[in-house]
Amino acid sequence: MLMAPVNFALPKRCAGCGHISGADGNFCIRCWSQLDILPDEGCQLCNQPVALAGSICGPCLDEPPKHDGVLAAVDYSDTARDLALKLKYGRKPGVADVMAALMVRHARRYPDAVLVPIPLHRWRIWNRGFNQSLLIARSVARLTGQKVLPSPILRTKRTSPLGGLSRTARGREVRGAFTMDPAQIGAIKGRPVLLVDDVYTTGATTNACAGVLKRAGAQKVHILCWARVLKEGA
Ligand SMILES: [Zn+2]
Ligand SMILES: [Zn+2]
């Protein structure tokens, strides 16, 4: 006798809290209301809120970043953080699709861009089994049709955690930590690039990677991330 499919009508669960949401969306109303979708206007380069939309903020004027702008889906709220942790440690790759759904709005502004994930150090990939930024990049690409280059940037040294270090010390820590895979320069040269990250915090790592891509001839490098921490010094 044939068994009826048991998962025929599983209730929809919220991607944030896991409670049955009953709705067609990915989040329950409570989690959805906690997600702070970031507006497009902010500092032209880092997207931090500024008094005059489209201007450049003080820190970016002092020390212009190597990238051409940060495109973040949401502010780093509790819900945004929980989702990032779920993807990173919870072995729930489906979470990447939920993030990507809110990131495509930004990705579609650069239809010809190549998606490049922030590289993890090899030992971290061995530990965890995957690079969460690559999972996100692949989910975005499934929606936009953009090309993903899984690992054009190589880590050449193991960096210490950057939290707690000053801006200068962070810059020093990541200096020389990345290099371009010579075999993949051709895929980057003259192309716009979206550097994909889960959570954008200090920007030291992404900035170093953007520098590597620019030296390899990338036309523009924007940071495409799920969430970003808006408070300076965090
Ligand atoms: Zn929820
Ligand atoms: Zn700025």
Side-chain angles (χ1 to χ4, degrees):
M1 215 177 97
L2 285 172
M3 297 286 284
V6 285
N7 61 348
F8 176 65
L10 275 183
K12 292 193 191 313
R13 286 184 180 275
C14 168
C17 63
H19 288 135
I20 294 166
S21 64
D24 253 0
N26 286 312
F27 295 97
C28 70
I29 289 167
R30 202 178 135 266
C31 288
W32 184 253
S33 65
Q34 278 171 13
L35 276 179
D36 207 352
I37 310 286
L38 290 175
D40 289 341
E41 66 271 12
C43 164
Q44 247 183 56
L45 295 175
C46 69
N47 208 31
Q48 288 274 1
V50 281
L52 187 63
S55 59
I56 293 176
C57 76
C60 286
L61 280 176
D62 285 349
E63 206 181 319
K66 296 192 172 76
H67 58 74
D68 299 287
V70 179
L71 311 165
V74 296
D75 184 15
Y76 192 61
S77 62
D78 287 352
T79 304
R81 186 204 54 216
D82 289 353
L83 221 61
L85 291 176
K86 238 179 231 179
L87 177 61
K88 212 164 175 176
Y89 302 108
R91 306 207 165 265
K92 289 197 167 55
V95 169
D97 291 336
V98 175
M99 294 174 167
L102 291 178
M103 293 164 74
V104 283
R105 168 171 74 96
H106 291 308
R108 290 205 169 109
R109 285 157 63 186
Y110 303 93
D112 300 330
V114 180
L115 301 178
V116 169
I118 290 282
L120 277 188
H121 197 269
R122 260 197 307 269
W123 74 267
R124 289 199 182 123
I125 294 183
W126 287 335
N127 249 357
R128 206 186 287 153
F130 62 85
N131 176 354
Q132 75 276 12
S133 298
L134 176 57
L135 292 185
I136 298 171
R138 287 200 167 125
S139 293
V140 170
R142 271 197 294 275
L143 298 169
T144 62
Q146 286 158 320
K147 184 181 158 68
V148 178
L149 275 189
S151 54
I153 304 170
L154 311 172
R155 269 202 201 243
T156 49
K157 75 173 193 194
R158 202 161 129 181
T159 48
S160 316
L162 301 176
L165 295 181
S166 72
R167 192 186 169 98
T168 322
R170 289 193 297 251
R172 202 182 309 124
E173 183 63 30
V174 297
R175 190 166 305 140
F178 303 95
T179 183
M180 187 74 192
D181 176 354
Q184 301 200 49
I185 290 178
I188 291 291
K189 219 183 175 90
R191 300 284 303 269
V193 173
L194 291 174
L195 189 53
V196 181
D197 205 356
D198 54 352
V199 177
Y200 181 89
T201 47
T202 68
T205 302
T206 34
N207 207 39
C209 289
V212 166
L213 292 165
K214 282 282 181 78
R215 281 196 295 280
Q219 181 206 69
K220 291 260 182 212
V221 180
H222 285 89
I223 315 299
L224 177 67
C225 58
W226 157 243
R228 64 159 308 161
V229 178
L230 284 179
K231 288 122 223 139
E232 233 332 81

